[in-house]
Amino acid sequence: MTDAASEHTYPGERLGLPETGPGSIARPGRRVGALAVDWACAVLVSVAFFAYDSLATLAVFAIVQIVFLPTLGGSPGHRLLGIRLQLVHGGWVGLWRPIVRTALLCLVIPAAIWDPDQRGLHDKAVGTVLLRA
C-alpha cells in the first residue's frame, strides 16, 4: 500500500497547480523572505513611533497583513518577493480570511506546521495558498 502523499511528486500537484513558474506553490525561501521583510518594516515603525514595544510591533505587523492581503493579494513582503495569496481554487480571499489567517500567523505554531503542499495550518484553516506571482 502506498502513502497518498508519496504519489504526488511536487508541492501543489494535489491542488492542480503547476510545478514551477507563475501559479506554483511559493517555496519556503520566498515565504520566509517575505515574512522577514514584513517583520522588519513593523520593527521600523515600532522603533520610530512606539519605543520598540513588542506588542506594538506585533500589532503593526498584523494590521499590515489584514489591510494588504485582501487589497493587493499579498503583504508588501509578498509582493516584493513575487508571491501572492489566493483561495485554493482561485479568487479573492475576502475580508474575514485575512483576519483569521493573521491571528493564526501571529501565534507562530500554525504557520510552522506544513502539509505536503507546503501550506501552513494558518492557510489550510482559511482555504488559502501562497503562489508565485
Side-chain angles (χ1 to χ4, degrees), residues 62-86:
I63 290 167
V64 166
Q65 299 294 310
I66 291 168
V67 169
F68 285 98
L69 291 177
T71 57
L72 294 181
S75 69
H78 290 152
R79 303 311 293 176
L80 185 66
L81 282 127
I83 58 180
R84 61 188 163 84
L85 185 75
Q86 75 172 38

Side-chain angles (χ1 to χ4, degrees), residues 2-131:
T2 61
D3 180 48
S6 67
E7 294 176 17
H8 302 287
T9 59
Y10 63 89
E13 184 177 18
R14 294 185 314 157
L15 303 173
L17 301 172
E19 184 173 4
T20 60
S24 65
I25 294 285
R27 299 303 195 260
R30 286 180 190 251
R31 293 161 50 162
V32 170
L35 180 64
V37 167
D38 292 339
W39 189 258
C41 291
V43 167
L44 288 175
V45 170
S46 178
V47 167
F49 297 103
F50 303 105
Y52 194 36
D53 179 82
S54 60
L55 286 178
T57 304
L58 187 62
V60 169
F61 175 82
I63 290 167
V64 166
Q65 299 294 310
I66 291 168
V67 169
F68 285 98
L69 291 177
T71 57
L72 294 181
S75 69
H78 290 152
R79 303 311 293 176
L80 185 66
L81 282 127
I83 58 180
R84 61 188 163 84
L85 185 75
Q86 75 172 38
L87 294 177
V88 171
H89 298 293
W92 184 55
V93 297
L95 298 174
W96 69 269
R97 285 180 183 88
I99 295 168
V100 173
R101 182 184 186 274
T102 299
L104 293 171
L105 179 62
C106 288
L107 293 174
V108 178
I109 299 299
I113 300 171
W114 294 358
D115 71 2
D117 292 312
Q118 295 181 352
R119 291 173 58 216
L121 291 180
H122 63 305
D123 279 322
K124 286 186 67 85
V126 297
T128 57
V129 62
L130 274 172
L131 302 174

